[in-house]
Amino acid sequence: MVGLLELARRTMRLHTCALYWADAKGRALRIVEAASDAPLVDTPLPVSSGVLGATFAMAKPLLLANLRPDHPGLTHYVAAPGVRCFAGVPVLAIDGTQPCVDVPAVQ
């Protein structure tokens, strides 16, 4: 059975589609589910880390284009994935916790 994020990734021809959830103290983001062409870091990421952290901190969508393939803000990847665009969308849960949906795509 194909997961919802894998379906979104295939349908929109994305490099990665992933859901990151903030911990109870709002200090780290942990991957909940992902569909990606490249390995993702599976340990908690500090909320101050890279484009995911920026999306979380701003609490509004973050869209980046024309990124260098080795952009240092893509800290959620194990190695530079060659991603040229990033779209991060914060999602507020009913209980007030704030996960981030990460949807970078290769141009």
Side-chain angles (χ1 to χ4, degrees):
M1 186 169 153
V2 176
L4 183 59
L5 295 184
E6 178 63 25
L7 181 62
R9 188 185 75 80
R10 288 181 189 177
T11 303
M12 294 188 279
R13 297 183 183 160
L14 302 174
H15 183 278
T16 301
C17 187
L19 176 65
Y20 288 82
W21 206 268
D23 66 9
K25 294 182 180 180
R27 295 185 184 155
L29 299 171
R30 180 177 292 278
I31 195 165
V32 175
E33 184 180 346
S36 182
D37 289 338
L40 300 171
V41 173
D42 61 359
T43 57
L45 296 167
V47 294
S48 60
S49 177
V51 295
L52 286 180
T55 303
F56 180 81
M58 294 185 322
K60 63 181 182 180
L62 175 62
L63 304 173
L64 302 173
N66 300 315
L67 298 173
R68 292 190 330 256
D70 61 344
H71 189 282
L74 300 172
T75 57
H76 52 293
Y77 287 100
V78 171
V83 169
R84 303 293 307 229
C85 298
F86 172 85
V89 182
V91 179
L92 292 175
I94 293 171
D95 66 1
T97 58
Q98 186 179 20
C100 290
V101 175
D102 161 35
V103 189
V106 176
Q107 282 185 321

